Amino acid sequence: MTLAEAEVCKDYIIKDVHIEDEDLSAFLFRLGCYAGENITVISRKNKNCVVAIKDARYNIDNHLAEAIIV
Amino acid sequence: MRIAMAGNPNSGKTTVYNAVTGRMERVGNWAGVTIEKKEFPIKKEYYSGREELIAVDLPGAYSMSPYTSEESITSKYIKDEKPDVIINITDATNLRRSLFLTTQLLELGIPVVVALNKSDINESKKNKIDIEKLSVLLGCPVVKTVATENKGLKEMMEAAVSLFGKEQKAPYSEKGVNLSDKKSVEEADRKRFEFVDSIVSKVETRTVLTKEINKGDYIDAVLTNPVGGLVIFAGVMFLVFWISQAKVGPFLADTLVGWIETFQEYIGSLMAGSSPFLYALVVDGIIGGVGAVIGFLPLIMVMFFLIALLEDCGYMSRAAVVLDPIFKKVGLSGKSVIPFVIGTGCSIPAIMACRTIRNERERRSTAVLASFMPCGAKLPVIALFAGAFFSDETWVGPLMYFVGIALIFFGALLINAVTGYKNRKSFFIIELPEYKVPSLKVAFLSMLNRGWAYIVKAATIILVCNTAVQLMQSFTWSFDVVEVAGDSILASIAHPFAYLLIPIVGVLSWQLAAAAITGLIAKENVVGTLAVTFVGLQNLIDTEEFALMEGAGEDVAAVFAITKIAALAYLMFNLYTPPCFAAIGAMNSELRSKKWLWGAIGLQMGTGYTIGYLVYQIGTLVTTGSFGPGFVGGLIAVLVFAGVIIYLINNTKKKMASEYTLNTGTL
C-alpha cells in the first residue's frame, strides 16, 4: 500500500519510492526516504501529512505520500 | 587560512559564522536560508596566533553529490578551492542524517572538525551522545556547540586551528563506484547510510524516540490546521503590520521626525545668509528629501524586528504548509509564502529567497510576483498619500497589502496561462524544524543591520537622486536659473511621460511623472521627488507624513491638484510597477532567463498601469458620473497590454495542442 493509506503512529518500512523526477528521488534519498528505511506517519490532514524519517519531521502532501510504497 | 562551514540545511552554519565573525547575515529557522557563499575574517578572540583566519559560510547540503544549485556551490567550493580546515556543523538532534555528509567530507583529505550543534535542544530531549567515542570512530575532533548561545565555539575554533596542515584519514571510503551508473551510486549511498547508522547506534542513546508524539506536534496540529491555520496566519501578519505601522512604529517615528526637523531648522538658520538656490538645495532638497525617507525608519525597523522573530521561531515552514493547498491551485508552492513575507521588508532578499523552491516554474513565478507585496520602501509613499488625501484613514495601508496579495494570485494565474501550465503533479515536502523561543538578540541585531542598510540607501542613492532632481528642476538646458518651473531640465524630460499618466491622474503633471520615474530607481524617491518638485509642498510635508500639520493635508492635496481617486490610482500605479532597479537586478539573477525577465517587467508595468487606470476611470465614473480625462488613450494602452497577453496565451495553447497531437500521434 502507499503511505497515504498507512496508519498513524505505526512504523512502516519503505518498500519503494515511485518518483520519476530523479532529482527529487535523490533528494528524498539524502533525507533517508528510500527502500529499506523506517517511516512513521505522525499525523494526517486532508491534503497532507507529517512523517518522521530518521530523526526529523517533514510535512509532505498526498501526492508524495501516494508515491511512497510501504 | 580559510575555514569552511559545511553541513545540512538549518544546522546553524550561519549562526556559527555570525558569532565568530561578528557579521549579521540572515538567519532563520528553516532549511535553505543561506543561498550563497560568504566569507569574512574570524574575530581574534576565537583563536591565538598571528595568521588571519577567514571563515567561509556555505549553503546547506545533504551530500557532496550536488543536486540543487546551493548544494553545488558548497561541493564545488570544497572540492575546487580546498579550504584549510572544514568545520562540519551537524544537527545533534539528527545525527543519522547529518553524518552522511560528514563521512563524505572526511574522505577529501582536508582536516575536519565536527561541531554537534543544537546540543541544548538535544539534551532537552534527553538524548545522549558519547562524543569521545564518536571522535574516535570518525577520526576527527568532535565538539558540542550551542551556536545561539555562543557555547563551545572557542573550543571548536581551537580544535580547527590545531589541525592546520594535517592530513585527514577517512573512517569510511567508497571505492570503485561507477558514478555514471545510478544504481551503483545508490547502492554506495545505501552502504554509507548503513555505516552512519552503525556509528550512531554506538554513540547515541535516546530515551524519547523521534516517532513519538511530542509537544511540537500539538502546536503543529493547531498551526497547520487547514482552516484554523489560515486564520492564525492572517492574524499573525495583521499583528506584525498593526504593531509596526499603527502602534510602536509611528510613536517612534514622531520622535525621530522631531529631531530631523530641529536639525533642518538649525542648518536653515546657519544658511540664512546664503543664496536662495543653495538654501533650497541643502535645506529642502537634501535634508528635506532624505529626511522624508529617514523619518520612516522606525516603522521599517519595528517591522524587520517582528519579521525576524517570525523567521527565528520556526513558524515559516508551518505557514508554508497551511498555504500550500491554496498556492498550489494557482501554480505556486507553499514555500512561496516565505518570499512574500520577507517581501514586506524588502523585495531583494525576497526574490533571492525563492531559491528554496525546487520546481523551476513555481520558483520563477514567485520571483516575478514577490514584489507585488508592498516593501518597506513603499511605506513612505503609502503614508504620504494616506496623509495628504485621506486624512490618515486606517484603511489605506491595509488595502494596499490586500490588493498586493490579490495581484499575486491574479498574476500567478496569468503566468500559468502564458507559460502553458499543465496541471502536473508538483510534490511538496518541507522539513518541520523544532520550535524555539525566538532570540530577541538575533531579532534586534537583524533589525539594526537592515535598518542601517536603509539609512545607507537614503544617504547614497536617495541623496544623489534628490540632489539631481533639485538641480535639474533649478536649471534650464542652457544652465540658467529657472524662472518658470515648467522650463527646467527635469520638466522637459518628464513632460513626455506625463502624457502617459493622464489616464491615471487626470491631469498633465510633469512633477508626478518625474516622481514615478525616479521611483523606479528606488521607491522612496517618489516621496523625495514630490517634496522637491511641488513648489511649496516641502513646507507642508515637513519631512514626512506624520508631521503633516493639523489640517495641512488638504493643502497638500490642493498643491497636487488631483482628485482623491486620482491620488489613489497614482499611489497604486507606483506600488505595483517594478519596485526598483536593484530588485530588477535580483530578478535577473534568479530567473536566469531574459525571456522571463522581460516578461516580468512587462507584467509589472502592465499591471501597475492597468490597475491605476481602472481605479481612476471607474472611480471617477462612480463619483462624477462620467469618465475622467485620457479615458480613450488609457483604454488603448490597456487593450494593447491585454492583447499581448491574449496573443501569448493563444500561442501557448496552439503549441500545447500541437504537442498533444504529436504525442498522441507517436503512440
Side-chain angles (χ1 to χ4, degrees), chain B residues 14-308:
Chain B
T14 304
T15 310
V16 171
Y17 173 83
N18 283 348
V20 298
T21 60
R23 300 289 288 171
M24 286 186 268
E25 299 297 346
R26 182 182 280 271
V27 289
N29 189 9
W30 76 85
V33 182
T34 307
I35 49 166
E36 264 161 331
K37 180 192 88 167
K38 291 177 182 112
E39 48 182 69
F40 204 77
I42 294 169
K43 287 198 263 182
K44 287 281 178 199
E45 63 199 71
Y46 284 99
Y47 65 99
S48 46
R50 253 174 292 166
E51 201 171 349
E52 190 179 52
L53 298 185
I54 310 281
V56 183
D57 186 23
L58 295 166
Y62 294 107
S63 102
M64 282 297 281
S65 31
Y67 105 100
T68 63
S69 64
E70 303 100 275
E71 279 192 325
S72 62
I73 293 175
T74 303
S75 73
K76 205 163 177 278
Y77 177 82
I78 293 177
K79 281 179 180 158
D80 298 353
E81 310 273 318
K82 298 235 181 292
D84 297 286
V85 177
I86 299 169
I87 294 183
N88 174 215
I89 317 279
T90 60
D91 181 344
T93 64
N94 196 353
L95 276 190
R96 291 200 289 156
R97 188 184 72 196
S98 306
L99 294 185
F100 184 90
L101 177 69
T102 310
T103 58
Q104 288 182 323
L105 294 173
L106 288 165
E107 272 185 68
L108 302 171
I110 302 167
V112 174
V113 175
V114 170
L116 292 181
N117 199 28
K118 303 191 187 178
S119 285
D120 54 338
I121 300 181
N122 204 38
E123 274 155 27
S124 74
K125 295 175 130 196
K126 302 199 177 74
N127 298 338
K128 285 207 184 81
I129 297 172
D130 183 341
I131 51 171
E132 279 87 34
K133 209 180 211 174
L134 182 60
S135 170
V136 171
L137 289 171
L138 292 175
C140 71
V142 176
V143 186
K144 271 190 194 177
T145 58
V146 183
T148 48
E149 293 169 23
N150 229 328
K151 279 187 194 152
L153 298 184
K154 192 142 195 233
E155 292 87 322
M156 178 192 83
M157 270 308 165
E158 278 162 3
V161 171
S162 73
L163 291 179
F164 275 136
K166 297 211 172 126
E167 187 92 9
Q168 179 69 51
K169 274 196 196 135
Y172 177 89
S173 59
E174 59 186 33
K175 286 196 183 86
V177 180
N178 178 5
L179 289 172
S180 56
D181 178 35
K182 205 183 144 227
K183 272 262 159 58
S184 166
V185 172
E186 205 180 290
E187 199 43 48
D189 284 348
R190 205 179 285 268
K191 283 201 182 124
R192 186 183 292 278
F193 259 131
E194 278 168 21
F195 174 74
V196 167
D197 285 343
S198 75
I199 289 188
V200 175
S201 64
K202 282 176 202 149
V203 299
E204 188 184 69
T205 34
R206 280 179 183 260
T207 42
V208 183
L209 297 177
T210 306
K211 62 185 181 193
E212 291 166 31
I213 305 284
N214 59 39
K215 236 193 289 171
D217 292 317
Y218 293 114
I219 306 177
D220 277 349
V222 178
L223 292 186
T224 64
N225 180 293
V227 181
L230 274 183
V231 177
I232 293 172
F233 177 72
V236 166
M237 291 319 290
F238 176 78
L239 262 184
V240 169
F241 295 120
W242 185 69
I243 295 173
S244 64
Q245 286 166 46
K247 289 286 145 189
V248 184
F251 173 75
L252 296 174
D254 274 342
T255 321
L256 181 63
V257 164
W259 295 345
I260 295 172
E261 273 175 22
T262 315
F263 178 68
Q264 193 178 15
E265 278 162 23
Y266 172 69
I267 298 290
S269 67
L270 285 186
M271 293 185 64
S274 56
S275 77
F277 164 69
L278 207 60
Y279 183 92
L281 179 68
V282 174
V283 178
D284 299 328
I286 296 178
I287 303 178
V290 174
V293 173
I294 298 276
F296 286 91
L297 190 60
L299 276 80
I300 289 159
M301 284 177 75
V302 172
M303 191 155 84
F304 279 144
F305 181 78
L306 296 173
I307 291 177

Side-chain angles (χ1 to χ4, degrees), chain A residues 11 27 35 55 57-58 61, chain B residues 67 97 190 210-211 328:
Chain A
D11 278 1
F27 174 68
D55 287 312
R57 288 216 186 333
Y58 304 87
D61 62 1
Chain B
Y67 105 100
R97 188 184 72 196
R190 205 179 285 268
T210 306
K211 62 185 181 193
K328 208 174 256 169

Side-chain angles (χ1 to χ4, degrees), chain B residues 588-616:
Chain B
N588 183 32
S589 59
E590 289 309 312
L591 294 173
R592 286 177 211 178
S593 147
K594 287 280 170 278
K595 219 164 96 186
W596 270 84
L597 178 70
W598 288 110
I601 296 171
L603 178 75
Q604 291 172 1
M605 289 303 268
T607 309
Y609 195 86
T610 306
I611 192 147
Y613 173 75
L614 292 178
V615 167
Y616 176 66

